[in-house]
Amino acid sequence: MVTSDVEKADAPTIAERDTLSKRESGVTSASPMRLRMESFIKSKQEEIVRELEQLDGTRFTVDKWERPNGGGGITCVLQDGKVFEKAGVNTSIVYGSLPRPAIAKMRINHKALDPDVESLEFFAAGLSMVLHPHNPMAPTVHLNYRYFETANADGTPNAWWFGGGTDLTPSYLFDEDAIHFHRTIKDACDAHDKGYFPRFKKWCDEYFNVKHRHETRGVGGIFFDDLDQEEKDQEQLFSFVQDCLDAFLPSYMPIIRRRKDMPYTEKEKAWQQLRRGRYVEFNLVHDRGTAFGLQTPGARIESILMSLPLTARWQYMHEPEKGSREERMVSVLQKPVDWV
Amino acid sequence: MVTSDVEKADAPTIAERDTLSKRESGVTSASPMRLRMESFIKSKQEEIVRELEQLDGTRFTVDKWERPNGGGGITCVLQDGKVFEKAGVNTSIVYGSLPRPAIAKMRINHKALDPDVESLEFFAAGLSMVLHPHNPMAPTVHLNYRYFETANADGTPNAWWFGGGTDLTPSYLFDEDAIHFHRTIKDACDAHDKGYFPRFKKWCDEYFNVKHRHETRGVGGIFFDDLDQEEKDQEQLFSFVQDCLDAFLPSYMPIIRRRKDMPYTEKEKAWQQLRRGRYVEFNLVHDRGTAFGLQTPGARIESILMSLPLTARWQYMHEPEKGSREERMVSVLQKPVDWV
């Protein structure tokens, strides 16, 4: 198809096409993946927020925000609740334009990307969540699932991929919690590909690594990125990501219910605060998503940094006592365990 | 001078030369700058630690550590004292080897560096200090002065430079404190070059910038780097750095004495904790020194991260009240002031 420059400039952006399509016919299984993913993560966000509000007995603050060039997000935060010190459940939809150097970098993992264009329109949709409970016996949990797509000038998809994962970060280790969390995720993975869980569990241990401390952030879970048509077809991958996200409540709710009202000492609370400090170190020093967000002009900083705990502590040369539960926790972080 | 590979391999390292020289003749004004800087910062460290112990009524913990290839450090930390929540005064001496890519990067600022070698021996000596007081009316202060040198194969200096600075980070702004701090530093600068203070004050505002928040870290001070023979001769620059370091106690002690026992409310303490969170954000996300340290294999992480506060807080969407002291503090951070 030959298009003159004038026609090109007049062509609707994918943001405009999507707005029109949603208005005219809603979102169905025949809609583009962009709209199906957006619709799916928003409904999951509602479901998760509802469930957490019921558990905590506190309402989330809901901030809806729009981006000038299309897209926007919903940031739901619960602060100083009865169960959660801080809980954030965030969806964001981004329409934007990738410059040539960013395209070149992405081509390493996605050969479908056209190297001969000056810029490409892109779309990104994701759900991100971090829950930090008050009780030091109750683990922090993180989850993120996202879909990324680049578009040709006529609005058809050029390249696309899914990424995401979830990981559990206890201050005190209860083996049964780690086993339950991993078991639930493994079941979701196994339904799609027996190879997924071992592959993505390893990727998780490698990614959520506080390198300068020689410790993983927590007891792991799964992590994957860049899953595209070389992995499986789009429908299969979407279905996999849906099952992963559906597995969240069953993976975490039994754990938080067991731990939220356990008795604890001041010393145990202080240990949790030190572990929160390590969480901050990972998120600010090593997490690529956070770094990308903080560098993005016009990014909504408060939504990105909702992942940080309400409070954290850094104590010089703190060493857990020999034979203590704190020491066992650290030793597991230094040498990841296969829980299932 | 032509040296065979065998002779080269047998040539003493600068670490070995320095050890020998110290043992044989001590450190005098005729010694190499490496040894004079090391001796100077160690004596200042002792003096500052003594003064702070007297103020706080608490002793510092002193950790001396050695590096396998020469050099080492002294980390002095006071934790949970009467005046200071956490105070660290650290000297470190590093002998090492720069690989070719690192040399190429440094050549941008130092033309004297030989681009045609595979590696260069280097030396670095620095004093770093961060003091976080308990009282939210008392400001955090940071200081760092350092000397860097690369050596030819025969042990003579190839390139050298000084860097450093100091900056003040209040949670509540007392104009008289900011004025006193800047005035004292300016006097030290003016004795050497009337151009230094305005130049290095601007550099400080640019460097200690929490870019993603569009705020400076605090009310500034001075910052400089890469000062070499193109700036002034080595003796003059050493004398300048000595005067800067000598100015520290006069710049900060009157402030901490005025503020350490002021009454404050719980709400003011909570605001300080939020500001501590911003301090952590700067140090972990933007500070080049911290990033370099965390990436250095075998680095002493506890010495690098002694700069982090004992406790910090992140609250979603916190906004200071209109017309409050907290709001005025933030507005000054958004638009740096010329205090003198």
Side-chain angles (χ1 to χ4, degrees):
Chain A
M1 194 179 79
V2 182
T3 30
S4 76
D5 277 0
V6 174
E7 278 173 308
K8 242 188 189 161
D10 285 347
T13 62
I14 50 172
E16 288 160 349
R17 283 174 206 269
D18 285 353
T19 306
L20 191 68
S21 153
K22 273 189 278 189
R23 198 185 316 134
E24 282 178 351
S25 43
V27 179
T28 70
S29 61
S31 300
M33 185 54 73
R34 297 188 295 277
L35 300 183
R36 292 167 68 196
M37 182 70 174
E38 173 179 348
S39 158
F40 174 67
I41 59 176
K42 282 184 176 166
S43 78
K44 290 309 287 186
Q45 180 182 32
E46 274 182 32
E47 181 192 333
I48 290 168
V49 162
R50 208 164 43 232
E51 195 83 6
L52 295 175
E53 284 183 338
Q54 213 161 17
L55 179 86
D56 196 283
T58 311
R59 300 298 299 268
F60 276 74
T61 305
V62 179
D63 282 322
K64 298 191 183 190
W65 41 281
E66 295 199 349
R67 288 172 55 93
N69 303 320
I74 306 172
T75 299
C76 302
V77 175
L78 188 164
Q79 219 160 238
D80 243 335
K82 293 188 193 72
V83 175
F84 295 108
E85 187 182 90
K86 196 167 165 192
V89 186
N90 195 5
T91 51
S92 73
I93 309 297
V94 180
Y95 291 89
S97 179
L98 283 176
R100 204 177 170 122
I103 301 168
K105 218 168 159 186
M106 284 180 175
R107 272 209 90 231
I108 300 166
N109 290 309
H110 306 282
K111 299 297 169 229
L113 282 170
D114 187 344
D116 288 328
V117 290
E118 272 314 306
S119 71
L120 271 179
E121 277 191 87
F122 79 91
F123 167 88
L127 187 156
S128 293
M129 173 164 70
V130 180
L131 312 179
H132 294 290
H134 284 294
N135 195 306
M137 302 301 150
T140 288
V141 70
H142 156 263
L143 171 149
N144 170 267
Y145 291 102
R146 56 191 178 270
Y147 172 73
F148 196 94
E149 190 182 292
T150 61
N152 297 310
D154 64 359
T156 55
N158 178 284
W160 58 266
W161 60 92
F162 289 94
T166 181
D167 74 306
L168 195 71
T169 306
S171 298
Y172 286 94
L173 183 58
F174 294 88
D175 290 35
E176 59 172 326
D177 293 355
I179 292 166
H180 170 80
F181 187 75
H182 281 255
R183 163 76 52 208
T184 313
I185 302 164
K186 182 174 185 296
D187 288 346
C189 290
D190 283 357
H192 294 267
D193 189 320
K194 294 274 182 196
Y196 277 176
F197 183 77
R199 222 171 110 199
F200 300 158
K201 196 271 183 188
K202 187 163 172 276
W203 202 340
C204 181
D205 289 335
E206 283 160 8
Y207 183 80
F208 291 107
N209 199 311
V210 192
K211 286 176 199 70
H212 60 274
R213 298 283 193 179
H214 309 287
E215 289 175 8
T216 55
R217 180 167 80 171
V219 295
I222 53 167
F223 181 86
F224 56 86
D225 205 358
D226 300 309
L227 298 194
D228 61 13
Q229 67 284 345
E230 294 189 19
E231 180 71 41
K232 285 214 164 55
D233 76 33
Q234 201 180 42
E235 285 304 323
Q236 285 177 306
L237 287 172
F238 183 44
S239 158
F240 167 59
V241 164
Q242 285 176 300
D243 283 354
C244 285
L245 201 33
D246 285 343
F248 169 70
L249 288 171
S251 75
Y252 186 68
M253 295 308 279
I255 299 175
I256 186 71
R257 285 208 185 90
R258 273 204 289 271
R259 303 299 163 212
K260 70 185 176 62
D261 299 317
M262 282 183 74
Y264 60 87
T265 66
E266 256 184 58
K267 221 177 133 194
E268 286 162 341
K269 185 70 188 170
W271 170 249
Q272 178 204 50
Q273 294 298 297
L274 286 176
R275 299 310 310 171
R276 295 266 202 266
R278 302 294 171 96
Y279 209 86
V280 172
E281 287 177 33
F282 176 80
N283 286 18
L284 296 183
V285 177
H286 300 291
D287 187 46
R288 289 196 300 261
T290 304
F292 178 79
L294 295 182
Q295 285 159 18
T296 303
R300 191 169 189 270
I301 299 301
E302 287 293 323
S303 296
I304 297 164
L305 296 184
M306 70 159 201
S307 66
L308 299 178
L310 192 64
T311 52
R313 185 177 175 91
W314 284 268
Q315 212 166 310
Y316 177 69
M317 292 295 274
H318 184 277
E319 293 275 354
E321 278 170 44
K322 284 262 168 282
S324 65
R325 293 185 67 192
E326 292 81 3
E327 190 193 45
R328 173 153 187 255
M329 181 77 251
V330 173
S331 75
V332 165
L333 301 177
Q334 286 165 344
K335 204 170 174 308
V337 169
D338 281 325
W339 296 102
V340 287
Chain B
M1 194 178 79
V2 182
T3 30
S4 76
D5 277 359
V6 176
E7 279 174 307
K8 244 187 188 163
D10 286 347
T13 63
I14 50 173
E16 288 161 349
R17 284 173 205 270
D18 285 353
T19 307
L20 191 69
S21 153
K22 274 189 277 191
R23 197 182 320 134
E24 282 179 350
S25 45
V27 179
T28 71
S29 61
S31 301
M33 185 53 73
R34 297 188 295 276
L35 300 183
R36 293 168 67 197
M37 183 69 175
E38 173 179 349
S39 156
F40 174 66
I41 60 176
K42 283 184 175 165
S43 79
K44 290 309 287 187
Q45 180 182 33
E46 274 182 33
E47 181 191 333
I48 290 168
V49 162
R50 207 164 45 232
E51 195 82 8
L52 295 176
E53 284 182 338
Q54 211 160 20
L55 179 86
D56 196 282
T58 312
R59 300 298 299 268
F60 276 75
T61 306
V62 178
D63 283 322
K64 298 191 183 191
W65 42 282
E66 295 200 349
R67 287 173 56 92
N69 302 320
I74 306 172
T75 299
C76 303
V77 175
L78 188 163
Q79 220 160 238
D80 243 335
K82 293 187 193 74
V83 175
F84 295 107
E85 187 182 88
K86 195 164 163 193
V89 187
N90 195 6
T91 51
S92 72
I93 309 297
V94 180
Y95 291 89
S97 179
L98 283 176
R100 204 176 170 125
I103 301 169
K105 218 168 159 187
M106 284 180 173
R107 273 209 89 231
I108 299 166
N109 291 309
H110 305 281
K111 298 299 167 229
L113 282 170
D114 187 343
D116 289 328
V117 289
E118 273 313 305
S119 71
L120 271 179
E121 277 191 87
F122 79 89
F123 167 88
L127 187 155
S128 292
M129 172 164 71
V130 180
L131 312 179
H132 294 291
H134 284 294
N135 195 307
M137 303 301 150
T140 288
V141 70
H142 156 263
L143 171 150
N144 168 266
Y145 290 103
R146 56 192 179 269
Y147 173 73
F148 196 92
E149 191 182 292
T150 61
N152 297 310
D154 63 359
T156 56
N158 179 284
W160 58 266
W161 61 91
F162 289 95
T166 179
D167 74 305
L168 194 72
T169 305
S171 298
Y172 285 95
L173 183 59
F174 293 89
D175 290 35
E176 60 173 324
D177 293 355
I179 293 166
H180 169 80
F181 186 75
H182 281 255
R183 164 74 54 208
T184 313
I185 303 164
K186 183 176 184 294
D187 288 347
C189 291
D190 283 357
H192 294 268
D193 189 319
K194 293 276 183 194
Y196 277 176
F197 183 76
R199 223 172 108 200
F200 300 158
K201 195 271 183 189
K202 186 163 173 276
W203 202 340
C204 182
D205 289 335
E206 284 160 7
Y207 183 80
F208 292 107
N209 199 312
V210 192
K211 287 176 198 72
H212 60 274
R213 298 284 193 180
H214 309 287
E215 291 174 6
T216 55
R217 180 167 81 171
V219 296
I222 53 168
F223 180 85
F224 55 86
D225 205 357
D226 300 309
L227 298 195
D228 61 12
Q229 68 284 343
E230 292 188 22
E231 180 71 42
K232 287 215 162 53
D233 74 35
Q234 202 181 43
E235 285 303 324
Q236 285 176 305
L237 288 173
F238 183 45
S239 158
F240 167 59
V241 165
Q242 285 176 299
D243 283 354
C244 284
L245 201 33
D246 285 343
F248 169 71
L249 288 171
S251 76
Y252 186 69
M253 295 307 278
I255 298 175
I256 187 70
R257 285 208 183 90
R258 274 204 288 270
R259 305 298 164 212
K260 70 185 174 63
D261 299 316
M262 282 183 74
Y264 60 86
T265 65
E266 256 184 57
K267 221 177 131 191
E268 286 162 342
K269 185 69 187 170
W271 171 249
Q272 178 205 49
Q273 293 298 296
L274 286 176
R275 300 311 308 171
R276 295 268 203 263
R278 302 295 170 96
Y279 208 86
V280 172
E281 287 178 32
F282 176 81
N283 286 19
L284 295 184
V285 177
H286 299 292
D287 188 47
R288 289 197 299 262
T290 303
F292 178 80
L294 295 183
Q295 285 158 19
T296 302
R300 190 171 190 272
I301 299 300
E302 286 293 324
S303 297
I304 296 165
L305 295 184
M306 68 156 204
S307 67
L308 298 179
L310 192 63
T311 52
R313 186 177 174 89
W314 284 269
Q315 212 166 312
Y316 177 69
M317 292 296 274
H318 184 277
E319 292 275 354
E321 278 170 45
K322 285 262 168 281
S324 65
R325 293 185 67 192
E326 292 81 3
E327 190 192 46
R328 176 159 184 252
M329 181 76 252
V330 173
S331 74
V332 165
L333 301 178
Q334 287 166 344
K335 206 173 173 305
V337 168
D338 281 324
W339 295 103
V340 286

